[in-house]
């Protein structure tokens, strides 16, 4: 920052000197009177020609003219009105370089420009440079931190302000209260409330409205209502805040009663009620108000469309959308989000491409729709199109596109995106950082995920959960549990998703006792009711460890009906431990629950194949044929030179397929010399061993690995993504390949990550 400042000062000095010898002869050497320069600068500023106005001051100062405070203040106001941060910075350097005695009101003007339109870092620099910041200075900075979501810094600065002997005013309190609301700190909110009462600002309309808002967001409706009832006067903000409190907490009757008591209802209050009900699951109540509303506007219609979309009633949302007397871009954005959230991606895409005008929210909604519905390649393609428009992606766009990079394990693309995020300045956005942690973890680079996590200025429960899940999926169960301990010590309460990550960590590391303890602590310590995902993790934990009878008993004791994921976990464990009878029972439940899913048929066939029961395999095949069940073929993806290539099991379509097969044949010979024996149990055909080996040779991950070896530099890691769980033979083969070619090979299958290096796998052959 210091070097940058010196460079700009040097540039300023050069500009001043060149100004003396410039074409402006009336300024150079003639000694124009100050009033002429300032008058001309003001005229240019009034016309919006701020850069020319600043240049005029450069030339004037070069002639020895001193600029007065009023002119600086006038020009800075012009910068504020026109969001001209660059020109404001030039004036800032101007003022400092000339040794001008800066009055506090000029400092505050600079501070306000940076806080509102620039960066918080520049604003904080101004505050720290001020010799005597007053209550306005502190308030502007505190409110800026709170407004931009940096609540911890806002609270810390508020305390520092009081330590410096500056007493908060009503605007300071109105500015700091939203910070308490953001972090949900009821304790600090109560302390502030008491302080506000002592200071005499409790009757202030803005302060009281902020108090209502903070109590509502801290889920203490009773305290919010007490503040509301004691207010000597109320405006639409205070009424709306109280109504929002009731609607967000499901107190429909209280909300309606209070709404009926409102002395004056305008469009804002009607829309607040409709949106409050619609977006919190009370669509029928919202519809009644919508129909009752005397004069609806586009916001009213959009609120109802959003409510229907969120509740899964896409047809009703579309009906309203078509009935709208006028639509705006927000209307279409709401429908795109609604379609996407309910799986109608094609309809969302049609609407998106028909839109006459799109904003960045439109693009972000469509990218999110693709990513949420596993259309990852389409999401990447659309993101590329966005970058070719004049629109700039925002933090939400980056947060939405990162899962696409993560799920395709497109590491190089992801790294480039991370660089762009840093350049634009979103590297400390908590949602973007959460996406980066997930992306690096799903690309198998857990070290990079950890670096992002460690640099985060603030962490949400999602941040902790992403880091725990990242370690877990990469087989680092002990590290995942260490992060969970840190999370507990930080005071952040885990949620249900966090415990999925914790139980997965125990599962992948074989920590049966620990997993059972954590499962019990969910209800005992955190009052979290286990969901199907948690039960699935427990069955997986017990089953992988070989405790199949215990897993069966656990399923039998479940308070909810076991779903497909639970039976699927048991069936997978039966495959690992070759338990035919339990596997058959688990498969039968799956055939009933998911008759069109081919995975359980394949798993049961694997169990039969391992036991050489070819007649039973044939029965499974006939059953699949009778039920018209199709099994998902194995797919693998690899990124080479920033392009993602897909391979299908026994795929012959790739133009380099002959070379790939020749390379595999050569590797197979080297592997056998090193001791590799093909595990033909995973070839589901009753043919001779040679044909079985040939079949195994064309599994999709082996094709992708061979392609990667042919097209990447020696020594560089190879990263593969597979849609199914890796089979035992491919797992064994990849260990041998990693040692022969001296490469790290990272494979992400449907269950976890496998890091193959020097003939070993990070899973310890426990998967």
């Amino acid at each position: 920052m210091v070097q940058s400042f010196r460079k700009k000062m040097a540039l300023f000095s050069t500009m001043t000197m060149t100004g003396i010898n410039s074409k402006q002869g009336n300024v150079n050497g003639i000694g124009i009177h100050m009033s002429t320069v300032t008058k001309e600068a003001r005229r240019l500023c009034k016309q919006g020609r701020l850069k020319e106005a600043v240049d005029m001051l450069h030339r004037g100062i070069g002639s020895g003219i001193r600029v007065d405070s009023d002119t600086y203040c006038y020009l800075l106001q012009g910068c504020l009105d026109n969001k001209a941060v660059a020109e404001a910075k030039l004036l800032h350097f101007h003022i400092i370089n000339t040794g001008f005695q800066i009055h506090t009101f000029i400092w505050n003007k600079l501070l306000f420009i940076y806080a509102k339109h620039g960066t918080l870092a520049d604003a904080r620099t101004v505050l720290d440079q001020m010799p005597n910041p007053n209550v306005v200075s502190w308030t502007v900075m505190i409110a800026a931190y709170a407004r931009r979501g940096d609540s911890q810094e806002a609270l810390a600065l508020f305390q520092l302000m009081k330590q410096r002997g500056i007493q908060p005013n009503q605007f300071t309190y109105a500015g700091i209260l939203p910070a308490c609301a953001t972090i949900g700190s009821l304790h600090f909110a109560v302390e502030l409330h008491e302080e506000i009462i002592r200071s005499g600002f409790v009757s202030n309309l803005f302060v009281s409205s902020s108090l209502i808002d903070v109590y509502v967001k801290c889920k203490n409706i009773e305290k919010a209502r007490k503040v509301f009832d004691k207010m000597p006067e109320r405006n639409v903000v205070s009424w709306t805040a109280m109504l929002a409190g009731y609607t967000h907490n499901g107190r429909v009757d209280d909300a309606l009663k209070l709404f009926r008591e409102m002395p004056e209802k305008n469009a804002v209050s009607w829309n607040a009620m409709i949106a409050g009900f619609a977006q919190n699951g009370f669509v029928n109540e919202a519809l009644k108000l919508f129909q009752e509303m005397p004069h609806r506007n586009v916001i009213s219609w959009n609120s109802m469309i959003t409510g229907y979309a969120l509740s899964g009633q896409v047809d009703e949302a579309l009906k309203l959308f078509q009935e709208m007397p006028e639509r705006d871009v927000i209307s279409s954005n709401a429908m795109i989000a609604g379609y996407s959230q309910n799986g109608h991606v094609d309809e969302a895409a049609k609407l998106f491409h028909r839109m006459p005008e799109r904003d960045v929210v439109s693009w972000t909604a469509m990218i999110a729709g693709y990513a949420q519905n596993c259309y990852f390649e389409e999401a990447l393609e659309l993101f590329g199109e966005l970058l070719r428009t004049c629109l700039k992606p925002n933090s939400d766009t980056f947060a939405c596109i990162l899962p696409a990079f993560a799920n395709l394990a497109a590491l190089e693309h992801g790294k480039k995106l991370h660089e762009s995020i840093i350049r634009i300045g979103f590297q400390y956005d908590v949602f973007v950082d959460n996406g980066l942690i997930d992306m690096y973890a799903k690309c198998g680079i857990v070290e990079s995920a950890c670096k992002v996590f460690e640099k985060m200025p603030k962490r949400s429960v999602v941040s902790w959960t992403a880091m725990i899940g990242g370690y877990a999926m990469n087989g680092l169960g002990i590290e995942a549990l260490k992060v969970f301990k840190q999370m507990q010590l930080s005071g952040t309460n885990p949620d249900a998703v966090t415990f999925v990550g914790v139980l997965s960590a125990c599962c992948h590391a074989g920590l049966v006792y620990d997993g059972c303890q954590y499962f019990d602590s969910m209800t005992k310590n955190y009052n979290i009711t286990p969901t199907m995902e948690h039960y699935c993790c427990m069955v997986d934990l017990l089953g992988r460890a070989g405790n199949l009878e215990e897993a069966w008993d656990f399923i039998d004791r479940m308070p909810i009906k076991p779903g497909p994921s639970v039976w699927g976990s048991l069936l997978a464990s039966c495959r690992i431990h070759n338990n035919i009878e339990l596997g058959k029972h688990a498969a039968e439940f799956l055939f009933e629950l998911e008759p069109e899913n081919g995975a359980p048929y394949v798993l049961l066939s694997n169990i039969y194949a391992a036991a050489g029961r070819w007649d039973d395999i044939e029965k499974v095949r006939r059953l699949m044929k009778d039920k018209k069940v199709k099994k998902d073929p194995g797919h693998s993806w690899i990124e080479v030179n920033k392009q993602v290539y897909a391979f299908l099991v026994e795929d012959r379509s790739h133009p380099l397929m002959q070379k790939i097969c020749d390379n595999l044949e050569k590797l197979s010979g080297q592997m056998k010399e090193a001791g590799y024996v093909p595990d033909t149990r995973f070839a589901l055909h009753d043919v001779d061993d040679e044909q079985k080996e040939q079949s195994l040779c064309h599994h999709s991950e082996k094709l992708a690995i061979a392609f990667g070896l042919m097209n990447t530099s020696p020594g560089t890691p190879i990263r593969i993504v597979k849609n199914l769980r890796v089979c035992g033979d491919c797992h064994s083969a990849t260990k041998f390949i990693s040692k022969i070619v001296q490469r790290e090979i990272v494979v992400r299958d449907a269950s976890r990550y496998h890091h193959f290096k020097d003939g070993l796998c990070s899973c310890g052959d426990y998967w």
Side-chain angles (χ1 to χ4, degrees):
M1 186 180 288
V2 173
Q3 289 179 342
S4 176
F5 181 80
R6 285 174 178 165
K7 285 180 182 177
K8 288 173 180 174
M9 288 294 96
L11 176 63
F12 169 77
S13 300
T14 304
M15 289 173 69
T16 303
M17 292 302 296
T18 54
I20 296 173
N21 300 305
S22 70
K23 296 178 183 178
Q24 303 293 331
N26 62 330
V27 177
N28 302 330
I30 299 177
I32 285 181
H33 194 272
M34 180 183 73
S35 62
T36 305
V37 173
T38 56
K39 185 177 179 181
E40 179 63 12
R42 287 187 180 211
R43 183 186 69 80
L44 292 168
C45 178
K46 192 173 183 179
Q47 295 175 356
R49 298 157 64 186
L50 285 166
K51 190 174 185 308
E52 294 175 60
V54 173
D55 288 343
M56 174 65 70
L57 288 190
H58 279 312
R59 295 193 296 272
I61 290 171
S63 301
I65 290 173
R66 293 184 63 81
V67 180
D68 60 5
S69 299
D70 288 343
T71 301
Y72 279 128
C73 201
Y74 189 89
L75 292 181
L76 285 170
Q77 185 61 46
C79 293
L80 180 61
D81 295 340
N82 291 278
K83 303 179 183 179
V85 178
E87 284 74 15
K89 284 187 175 183
L90 282 174
L91 285 171
H92 186 179
F93 299 140
H94 228 293
I95 293 165
I96 292 173
N97 193 61
T98 55
F100 182 77
Q101 187 66 38
I102 308 175
H103 296 286
T104 302
F105 67 84
I106 292 179
W107 278 115
N108 286 343
K109 190 76 75 173
L110 275 168
L111 182 61
F112 197 71
I113 292 168
Y114 291 146
K116 192 170 184 181
H117 303 304
T119 67
L120 291 179
D122 285 334
R124 185 58 185 265
T125 299
V126 171
L127 181 68
D128 293 340
Q129 286 177 345
M130 291 179 71
N132 297 299
N134 59 16
V135 66
V136 175
S137 320
W138 291 94
T139 299
V140 168
M141 195 69 242
I142 288 167
Y145 277 131
R147 188 172 57 251
R148 299 204 190 181
D150 200 343
S151 302
Q152 296 290 358
E153 195 62 39
L155 294 170
L157 196 63
F158 180 75
Q159 298 291 6
L160 181 62
M161 169 189 172
K162 292 196 291 184
Q163 289 170 14
R164 298 277 178 88
I166 306 294
Q167 291 301 312
N169 61 19
Q170 66 269 38
F171 301 108
T172 317
Y173 287 120
I176 190 62
L177 282 166
C180 299
T182 301
I183 62 173
S185 177
L186 180 61
H187 173 73
F188 197 77
V190 171
E191 284 187 359
L192 273 177
H193 191 177
E194 292 170 354
E195 188 178 316
I196 288 166
I197 292 171
R198 290 193 299 271
S199 65
F201 293 124
V202 73
S203 59
N204 180 274
L205 184 60
F206 298 106
V207 174
S208 294
S209 296
S210 296
L211 273 171
I212 293 169
D213 184 60
V214 72
Y215 280 135
V216 163
K217 288 176 178 171
C218 290
K219 301 189 182 303
N220 195 319
I221 305 300
E222 284 67 31
K223 281 188 178 293
R225 186 59 196 253
K226 284 180 181 178
V227 174
F228 180 81
D229 288 339
K230 289 181 180 179
M231 290 178 70
E233 61 172 320
R234 304 174 187 127
N235 63 3
V236 70
V237 176
S238 45
W239 282 93
T240 303
M242 195 63 241
L243 289 169
Y246 282 136
T247 56
H248 290 172
N249 286 275
R251 293 171 61 168
V252 178
D253 293 338
D254 289 325
L256 284 171
K257 185 174 182 292
L258 185 65
F259 183 67
R260 302 301 180 199
E261 292 172 4
M262 282 186 75
E264 294 182 14
K265 302 179 185 71
N266 59 13
V268 175
S269 51
W270 279 98
N271 288 336
M273 277 294 289
I274 292 168
F277 280 142
Q279 293 171 21
N280 287 280
F282 304 102
V283 184
N284 292 334
E285 289 79 2
L287 180 61
K288 289 176 184 176
L289 285 173
F290 178 75
Q291 292 169 340
E292 186 183 334
M293 187 174 178
H295 302 289
R296 303 171 197 142
N297 57 21
V298 69
I299 298 172
S300 322
W301 288 86
N302 288 343
S303 296
M304 280 306 306
I305 289 170
T306 302
Y308 275 128
L310 288 173
S311 65
Q313 300 180 60
V314 183
D315 291 339
E316 294 298 327
L318 179 60
K319 184 180 176 183
L320 275 182
F321 181 73
Q322 292 170 339
E323 290 175 0
M324 286 183 75
E326 59 173 319
R327 300 175 194 146
D328 60 9
V329 68
I330 298 173
S331 315
S332 297
N333 293 347
M335 277 306 302
I336 289 170
Y339 277 134
S340 300
Q341 287 165 7
N342 292 281
H344 305 300
V345 185
D346 291 340
E347 294 300 321
K350 287 177 186 176
L351 177 56
F352 175 80
H353 291 296
R354 285 200 308 265
M355 288 176 71
E357 179 186 352
R358 307 182 194 111
D359 59 12
V360 69
V361 178
S362 317
W363 288 86
T364 301
M366 194 63 245
I367 289 168
Y370 279 136
Q372 289 164 3
N373 289 278
C374 300
Y375 290 77
F376 303 120
E377 292 175 10
E378 288 82 355
L380 295 185
E381 186 178 338
L382 192 64
F383 182 70
E385 286 183 36
L386 169 60
L387 297 180
R388 293 190 288 274
T389 70
C390 59
L391 295 171
K392 290 184 179 180
N394 58 25
S395 58
D396 291 334
T397 317
F398 286 115
C400 289
I401 191 59
L402 280 166
F405 288 101
N407 283 283
L408 290 175
L411 180 62
E412 293 308 313
H413 281 87
K415 285 180 177 178
K416 287 292 182 185
L417 188 68
H418 192 177
E419 291 171 6
S420 299
I421 287 166
I422 293 171
R423 279 198 306 272
I424 296 171
F426 291 139
Q427 70 268 34
Y428 297 124
D429 181 280
V430 67
F431 299 106
V432 173
D433 283 346
N434 292 344
L436 284 168
I437 292 168
D438 185 58
M439 186 269 292
Y440 280 122
K442 285 181 177 174
C443 288
I445 312 294
V446 73
E447 300 84 1
S448 296
C450 189
K451 285 178 183 177
V452 174
F453 179 77
E454 293 295 340
K455 289 180 181 178
M456 291 179 74
K458 57 178 181 176
R459 299 173 186 138
S460 65
V461 65
V462 178
S463 315
W464 290 98
T465 300
M467 198 64 244
I468 291 166
Y471 275 128
M473 73 174 70
N474 281 278
L476 302 169
I478 302 300
E479 287 79 358
L481 297 182
K482 284 180 182 176
V483 174
F484 182 63
K485 294 287 186 187
Q486 292 170 12
M487 178 185 186
Q488 291 173 308
L489 292 172
S490 75
T492 305
N493 284 328
D495 61 13
V497 183
T498 311
F499 274 102
V500 172
V502 170
L503 294 174
S504 295
C506 294
C507 183
H508 290 311
L511 304 171
V512 177
Y513 176 80
D514 297 272
C516 292
Q517 293 295 307
Y518 284 121
F519 181 79
D520 290 339
S521 74
M522 286 176 59
T523 49
K524 289 180 182 177
N525 301 339
Y526 297 101
N527 198 30
I528 296 172
T529 302
T531 66
M532 195 68 72
E533 281 189 279
H534 302 106
Y535 289 113
C536 177
C537 288
M538 286 302 296
V539 171
D540 206 20
L541 174 69
L542 296 168
R544 282 175 191 261
N547 304 326
L548 294 171
E549 293 294 339
E550 191 176 343
W552 180 271
D553 291 340
F554 181 87
I555 294 172
D556 195 47
R557 297 194 309 271
M558 281 175 58
I560 58 176
K561 185 179 179 181
S565 58
V566 172
W567 292 115
S569 291
L570 181 63
L571 179 57
S573 297
C574 290
R575 181 190 67 81
I576 294 169
H577 299 286
N578 297 317
N579 190 313
I580 297 174
E581 289 308 311
L582 274 184
K584 183 180 177 183
H585 288 311
E588 286 170 352
F589 279 108
L590 284 166
F591 296 161
E592 183 180 340
L593 290 169
E594 293 185 323
E596 296 181 0
N597 184 4
Y601 295 90
V602 175
L603 279 172
L604 183 59
S605 296
N606 278 325
I607 296 172
Y608 286 146
R613 293 171 59 165
W614 302 108
D615 290 341
D616 288 319
I617 292 176
E618 189 56 37
K619 288 178 184 177
V620 173
R621 283 206 184 98
R622 282 201 301 270
L623 186 62
M624 289 180 72
K625 187 176 181 181
D626 293 342
K627 292 187 175 183
K628 298 180 180 179
V629 176
K630 293 182 179 179
K631 72 170 188 174
D632 292 329
H635 279 84
S636 292
W637 293 265
I638 181 171
E639 184 186 24
V640 175
N641 296 326
K642 299 178 184 176
Q643 185 172 343
V644 178
Y645 296 88
F647 290 89
L648 185 67
V649 62
E650 297 186 356
D651 184 12
R652 295 284 179 180
S653 63
H654 197 282
L656 295 176
M657 186 51 64
Q658 189 56 52
K659 288 185 178 180
I660 292 170
C661 290
D662 291 344
N663 196 14
L664 278 175
E665 192 68 31
K666 181 181 176 183
L667 272 174
S668 180
Q670 293 174 301
M671 287 156 57
K672 287 177 180 177
E673 287 178 10
Y676 164 70
V677 177
D679 193 342
T680 55
R681 293 177 302 165
F682 296 94
L684 303 181
H685 299 281
D686 186 14
V687 293
D688 61 45
D689 285 349
E690 187 176 346
Q691 287 177 286
K692 288 180 180 178
E693 287 183 32
Q694 192 65 26
S695 173
L696 291 170
C697 192
H698 290 92
H699 280 193
S700 63
E701 58 265 57
K702 288 177 182 171
L703 296 174
I705 289 169
F707 179 77
L709 290 172
M710 292 163 52
N711 292 280
T712 56
S713 302
T716 57
I718 291 174
R719 305 180 192 282
I720 309 290
V721 177
K722 182 176 170 63
N723 66 328
L724 305 175
R725 185 175 290 189
V726 64
C727 79
D729 178 73
C730 288
H731 189 272
S732 176
T734 308
K735 288 196 294 181
F736 277 95
I737 294 170
S738 71
K739 188 170 185 178
I740 291 167
V741 300
Q742 286 297 292
R743 300 263 206 125
E744 180 183 6
I745 302 173
V746 183
V747 178
R748 189 182 95 205
D749 69 7
S751 174
R752 62 174 295 158
Y753 265 91
H754 300 268
H755 295 256
F756 299 94
K757 191 173 183 180
D758 297 327
L760 299 173
C761 180
S762 59
C763 74
D765 296 338
Y766 185 86
W767 88 102

